[in-house]
Amino acid sequence: MTDKNPDPTHIRLAKRVAEQLNCSRSTAEQFIEGGFVSVDGQVVEAPGARVRPDQAVTVAQDASLLELTPVTLLLHKPVGFEAGLGVPAGQAAHASRSQGATPATTLLNAASHLGDDASGIRVLQRHFKQLECFTPLPTEASGLVVYTQDKRIARKLAEDIESLEQECIVEVKGNIAPHGLQRLCHGLSFNGRPLPPIKVSWQSETKLRFALKGIRPGRIPAMCDAVGLTVVALKRIRIGRVPLAKVPEGQWRYLQPWERF
């Protein structure tokens, strides 16, 4: 609830910073959202926070607006979490809850950030806002999901997701039909259409590696079923040239500037 009679001695943090730095209010807001402003020693990222005259407001010496560039988060989604398609994270979370699934965006927070993330990017609350996901993954699957604020990456994924090779490790059970591996690589149909050649190989006695483009929901389970196998678990470990690598399940890392899908 908004205080209709705020203490006149309390002012917005953005105004206080603008006065201290002799800069515009919008610049002050960017410094605050960048995590460079502290009130009594505690970082505050809300420009609208109100401060008293006796409170110490400090701006970090390394404050830079370069920190405000959009980010891309790479999440290792566990089974049971829903990852949406091309909608703002807030809307995706609302839709997921209404359907009874747990939105994967609930895992995007400072606590689940990969501890040894090599990007060197400081975790800010603004990094969890206005995220979009163009790399959907079924609730029953796990693995790499991409959430981005960067319009260039969003456009790349939206336009090229059908042509980007994706790699999955698929745990199966059952006895594969004669020449089943060759048929998986080339010779099967899905939804009445012949499938293009793909790369399939055994990783172990119970796990297959799929490398294919244009993954459709249900496609891999249908392919396995056609050769006498049942999918037990599916994990996506790569999208284009970006791997899941060693990100533990339920954690995320930043996409590094040199990484390209």
Side-chain angles (χ1 to χ4, degrees):
M1 181 179 293
T2 303
D3 187 352
K4 295 182 180 180
N5 299 293
D7 189 323
T9 64
H10 294 197
I11 64 172
R12 293 181 78 252
L13 180 58
K15 181 179 180 180
R16 177 80 171 271
V17 172
E19 292 173 349
Q20 287 188 197
L21 298 182
N22 192 25
C23 66
S24 68
R25 193 77 61 86
S26 62
T27 297
E29 291 178 350
Q30 291 182 75
F31 280 131
I32 295 167
E33 291 176 347
F36 294 112
V37 177
S38 298
V39 178
D40 289 342
Q42 298 293 321
V43 174
V44 177
E45 297 180 39
R50 303 188 73 83
V51 294
R52 303 187 311 271
D54 62 318
Q55 289 183 290
V57 175
T58 56
V59 181
Q61 292 184 350
D62 62 344
S64 169
L65 298 185
L66 294 177
E67 290 280 338
L68 300 178
T69 54
V71 297
T72 298
L73 313 182
L74 307 178
L75 171 69
H76 185 167
K77 185 188 85 69
V79 171
F81 288 79
E82 188 275 337
L85 170 63
V87 296
Q91 294 181 20
H94 176 76
S96 298
R97 278 191 284 269
S98 67
Q99 297 168 6
T102 304
T105 48
T106 60
L107 299 171
L108 300 177
N109 53 60
S112 58
H113 178 226
L114 178 66
D116 58 353
D117 189 336
S119 69
I121 299 174
R122 296 183 309 127
V123 179
L124 300 173
Q125 290 304 308
R126 65 180 303 276
H127 293 165
F128 308 122
K129 300 176 181 178
Q130 296 180 319
L131 291 166
E132 292 183 299
C133 175
F134 292 91
T135 55
L137 199 59
T139 303
E140 62 273 14
S142 66
L144 177 60
V145 179
V146 182
Y147 289 91
T148 188
Q149 299 173 332
D150 192 322
K151 298 303 180 183
R152 295 171 301 174
I153 291 179
R155 184 166 57 251
K156 167 75 174 177
L157 292 174
E159 295 176 352
D160 298 346
I161 193 63
E162 291 291 324
S163 60
L164 286 174
E165 185 176 77
Q166 302 184 44
E167 185 175 349
C168 300
I169 300 300
V170 183
E171 183 178 353
V172 296
K173 65 179 181 180
N175 297 314
I176 192 168
H179 309 294
L181 188 62
Q182 293 90 327
R183 291 179 62 203
L184 286 172
C185 293
H186 192 203
L188 296 178
S189 299
F190 182 64
N191 288 340
R193 296 183 178 181
L195 293 172
I198 64 173
K199 305 168 189 173
V200 185
S201 59
W202 285 106
Q203 294 293 100
S204 69
E205 291 184 356
T206 60
K207 293 183 179 179
L208 287 164
R209 170 189 170 275
F210 281 73
L212 68 166
K213 300 176 182 179
I215 297 179
R216 305 282 185 180
R219 177 176 170 184
I220 290 179
M223 293 176 67
C224 291
D225 184 66
V227 295
L229 298 174
T230 300
V231 171
V232 176
L234 188 153
K235 179 180 179 180
R236 180 165 61 195
I237 61 172
R238 177 174 59 85
I239 299 175
R241 291 171 286 180
V242 176
L244 179 62
K246 297 181 180 180
V247 178
E249 194 171 86
Q251 295 187 26
W252 61 272
R253 70 174 179 88
Y254 289 105
L255 180 75
Q256 298 194 60
W258 54 266
E259 291 183 290
R260 297 289 184 272
F261 287 99

